């Protein structure tokens, strides 16, 4: 059986790895020259409820990528405003580690190759077409292409996404595979009900910061600097796509995290104002982020899906990551991608598809997001274990815990220990 995964971000890597673990032949197609997508610029895992989710996945046998990220950690158990026990992995080390791991497991990867169309038979995709006209046939397909769509969306709704400058202009725009197969996309909304969302943490070249800030970042992983009163802009939090960081503390302070670079958790910060802050007089943004100009137009293209991650209306297309919902973050991409890869193999074998139980956070968020986005209000929200509405839900339902043994017992009681390690072909 041949599983074809389109898109090599965290979700695509997770889907490809899981399908391979199940015993399928796997081809992963990535349009750029790097895996991990936003994983190359993010670097935060295990903060708040993401700790629970990561440990659930490890107990379920789907924790390979979390273990790699843990091994690439620059700092562990970091607290910063609104967030506890974060792990900050090194964004400059993680990609080759994941790439080599996928190779070691036998996942075939094609880089700098863009999928532009599909061939269908009834409700099934039978093949994909590459930019040069090559047709590749497969049994089941997983789309993890993100959510932005073509460059025109960026120009229409904002100023590019968080991978802008280097990505679409160099490698071509994203194509919605599900739409090519005849299924209309769902679009996310901003708080004012216009399309899209805007965000953006940015990166600063660490060496452009003062020596004492560099030293503290290297030692503690986090530096918090007060913003001058005249420059505090709470309104910009309304445009934040990562709602777990849309806290007033992120408007009132400069929050820097050490992810290899200095990750600036405050979006849209003009360089001139940034350099007014002591220690940041010579600060410089790292491309591709355009720190002073905003970025991250997202959620313009999600496929309607079942809780198994199968696309509604198509028999053999699955989705993960931002393509599958209003999810924010690496952890959320790995969770949804893993389930998509697992069920892709089951679909290819003609087996019943599985949902993750809602008594686990990783199952509940998939179910909850799907229900919530049926309403206008739900389309304005983002769903992450790390904060905002969903982390509150986790706490309310008693799903959040940092007790690893308790998490293992939950999984064990469901008889799902090492569930994702089972070879099914």
């Amino acid at each position: 059986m041949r599983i074809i995964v389109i898109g090599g971000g965290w979700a695509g890597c997770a889907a490809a790895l899981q399908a391979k673990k199940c015993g399928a032949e796997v081809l992963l197609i990535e349009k750029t020259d790097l895996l991990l997508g936003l994983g190359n610029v993010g670097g935060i895992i295990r903060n708040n409820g993401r700790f629970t989710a990561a440990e659930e996945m490890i107990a379920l046998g789907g924790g390979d990528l979390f273990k790699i990220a843990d091994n690439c950690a620059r700092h562990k158990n970091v607290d910063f405003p609104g967030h506890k026990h974060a792990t900050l992995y090194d964004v400059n080390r993680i990609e080759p580690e994941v790439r080599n791991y996928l190779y070691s497991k036998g996942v075939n990867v094609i880089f700098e190759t863009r999928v532009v169309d599909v061939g269908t038979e009834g409700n099934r995709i039978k093949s994909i077409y590459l930019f040069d006209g090559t047709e590749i046939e497969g049994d089941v397909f997983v789309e993890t292409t993100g959510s932005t769509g073509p460059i025109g969306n960026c120009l229409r709704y904002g100023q590019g996404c968080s991978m802008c400058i280097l990505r679409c202009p160099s490698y071509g725009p994203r194509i919605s595979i599900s739409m090519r197969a005849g299924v209309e996309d769902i679009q996310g909304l901003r708080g004012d009900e216009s399309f899209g969302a805007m965000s953006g943490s940015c990166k600063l070249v660490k060496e452009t910061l003062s020596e004492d800030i560099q030293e503290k970042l290297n030692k503690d992983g986090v530096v918090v600097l007060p913003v001058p009163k005249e420059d505090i802009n709470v309104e910009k939090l309304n445009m934040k796509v990562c709602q777990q960081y849309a806290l007033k503390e992120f408007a009132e302070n400069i929050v820097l995290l050490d992810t290899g670079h200095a990750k600036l958790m405050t979006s849209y910060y003009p360089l001139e104002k940034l350099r007014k802050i002591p220690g940041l007089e010579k600060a410089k943004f790292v491309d591709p982020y355009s720190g002073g100009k905003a970025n991250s137009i997202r959620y313009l293209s999600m496929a309607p899906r079942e809780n198994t991650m199968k696309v509604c209306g198509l028999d053999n297309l699955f989705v993960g990551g931002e393509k599958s919902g209003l999810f924010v973050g690496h952890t959320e991409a790995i969770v949804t991608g893993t389930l998509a890869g697992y069920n892709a193999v089951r679909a290819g074998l003609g087996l019943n598809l599985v949902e993750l139980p809602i008594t686990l956070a990783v199952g509940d968020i998939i179910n909850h997001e799907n229900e919530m986005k049926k309403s206008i209000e739900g389309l304005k929200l983002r769903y992450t274990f790390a904060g905002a509405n969903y982390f509150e839900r986790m706490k309310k339902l008693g799903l959040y815990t940092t007790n690893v043994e308790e998490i293992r017992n939950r999984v064990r009681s469901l008889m799902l220990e090492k569930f994702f390690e089972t070879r099914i072909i």
Side-chain angles (χ1 to χ4, degrees):
M1 183 201 311
R2 191 180 208 194
I3 306 291
I4 296 179
V5 181
I6 305 118
W10 274 122
C13 289
L17 182 60
Q18 184 55 49
K20 190 65 191 175
K21 287 166 68 175
C22 289
E25 176 192 346
V26 179
L27 175 63
L28 172 60
I29 301 175
E30 164 58 33
K31 73 170 184 173
T32 76
D33 57 355
L34 287 171
L35 294 176
L36 294 189
L38 288 173
N40 291 295
V41 293
I44 307 173
I45 58 172
R46 291 186 177 271
N47 47 327
N48 293 346
R50 284 177 179 160
F51 185 98
T52 311
E55 290 297 333
E56 285 181 352
M57 290 302 289
I58 290 170
L60 287 163
D64 307 46
L65 297 178
F66 291 112
K67 293 177 181 176
I68 294 174
D70 285 340
N71 289 336
C72 289
R74 293 181 64 83
H75 303 276
K76 294 184 177 180
N77 292 317
V78 174
D79 293 347
F80 58 93
H83 295 260
K84 299 286 188 183
H85 48 72
T87 291
L88 308 178
Y89 69 73
D90 192 327
V91 297
N92 298 317
R93 287 180 51 208
I94 190 82
E95 195 274 344
E97 296 291 332
V98 172
R99 181 188 296 223
N100 290 335
Y101 189 72
L102 263 57
Y103 286 156
S104 73
K105 296 298 180 183
V107 175
N108 297 311
V109 186
I110 302 177
F111 289 97
E112 298 189 69
T113 301
R114 203 157 61 90
V115 177
V116 297
D117 209 347
V118 300
T120 59
E121 282 181 354
N123 292 331
R124 298 182 65 83
I125 297 175
K126 67 179 183 66
S127 61
I128 53 171
Y129 290 92
L130 307 182
F131 66 105
D132 62 358
T134 302
E135 181 182 16
I136 300 178
E137 295 187 344
D139 297 298
V140 187
F141 300 81
V142 181
E143 183 182 5
T144 52
T145 55
S147 60
T148 308
I151 298 172
N153 279 345
C154 298
L155 299 175
R156 186 175 181 184
Y157 298 110
Q159 300 177 66
C161 84
S162 49
M163 291 193 291
C164 201
I165 300 175
L166 290 181
R167 298 300 160 178
C168 290
S170 299
Y171 297 105
R174 301 180 191 185
I175 299 292
S176 173
I177 301 302
S178 52
M179 279 196 72
R180 292 287 183 182
V183 176
E184 195 69 27
D185 279 336
I186 301 169
Q187 293 188 321
L189 298 173
R190 297 171 175 152
D192 62 0
E193 299 188 12
S194 61
F195 290 122
M198 294 189 67
S199 178
S201 51
C202 310
K203 291 185 297 183
L204 300 174
V205 179
K206 200 190 292 184
E207 290 76 11
T208 65
L209 312 181
S210 67
E211 289 186 2
D212 58 327
I213 290 179
Q214 290 185 53
E215 184 178 341
K216 186 168 175 53
L217 272 177
N218 289 333
K219 177 175 177 288
D220 301 333
V222 57
V223 170
V224 180
L225 304 169
V227 170
K229 287 184 178 178
E230 67 273 18
D231 290 337
I232 293 174
N233 179 8
V234 179
E235 291 298 315
K236 68 181 179 181
L237 297 176
N238 295 330
M239 301 295 279
K240 193 85 175 155
V241 68
C242 300
Q243 292 179 346
Q244 68 271 30
Y245 306 127
L247 308 173
K248 68 179 181 60
E249 289 87 348
F250 288 84
E252 295 172 347
N253 299 285
I254 293 292
V255 180
L256 298 174
L257 301 179
D258 177 22
T259 60
H261 299 287
K263 185 179 175 71
L264 171 62
M265 300 298 290
T266 308
S267 58
Y268 324 137
Y269 213 107
L271 188 60
E272 188 175 348
K273 290 184 177 180
L274 192 67
R275 288 181 171 176
K276 288 167 57 178
I277 297 171
L280 305 185
E281 293 88 347
K282 298 179 181 178
K284 178 188 173 197
F285 286 111
V286 180
D287 286 335
Y289 282 144
S290 179
K293 296 295 185 183
N295 53 33
S296 213
I297 305 302
R298 294 156 82 177
Y299 305 114
L300 289 162
S301 174
M302 297 173 289
R305 62 162 176 87
E306 300 174 357
N307 291 332
T308 61
M309 312 312 293
K310 189 182 81 65
V311 173
C312 299
L314 292 170
D315 295 338
N316 66 339
L317 179 63
F318 292 76
V319 286
E322 290 184 2
K323 182 67 191 185
S324 67
L326 296 156
F327 299 114
V328 178
H330 312 325
T331 303
E332 295 74 4
I334 293 170
V335 169
T336 53
T338 299
L339 183 59
Y342 182 80
N343 273 327
V345 177
R346 292 188 67 90
L349 293 172
L351 301 174
N352 292 332
L353 305 182
V354 302
E355 299 181 14
L356 293 176
I358 59 173
T359 50
L360 297 177
V362 294
D364 183 65
I365 197 171
I366 290 171
N367 182 291
H368 180 66
E369 189 274 345
N370 222 13
E371 286 299 311
M372 292 293 289
K373 71 175 178 235
K374 294 175 182 174
S375 68
I376 294 295
E377 288 306 310
L379 284 170
K380 297 178 187 177
L381 300 176
R382 315 295 169 234
Y383 301 86
T384 167
F385 304 107
N389 68 95
Y390 188 73
F391 184 44
E392 291 305 312
R393 175 180 169 86
M394 281 183 73
K395 290 189 283 190
K396 183 179 178 181
L397 295 176
L399 294 172
Y400 169 59
T401 176
T402 57
N403 185 325
V404 175
E405 193 53 39
E406 181 182 339
I407 294 168
R408 289 174 181 165
N409 285 335
R410 285 182 192 171
V411 173
R412 198 174 294 132
S413 69
L414 293 164
M415 302 181 70
L416 291 175
E417 199 172 20
K418 299 182 179 179
F419 174 77
F420 286 120
E421 291 184 3
T422 305
R423 188 180 176 98
I424 55 178
I425 294 179

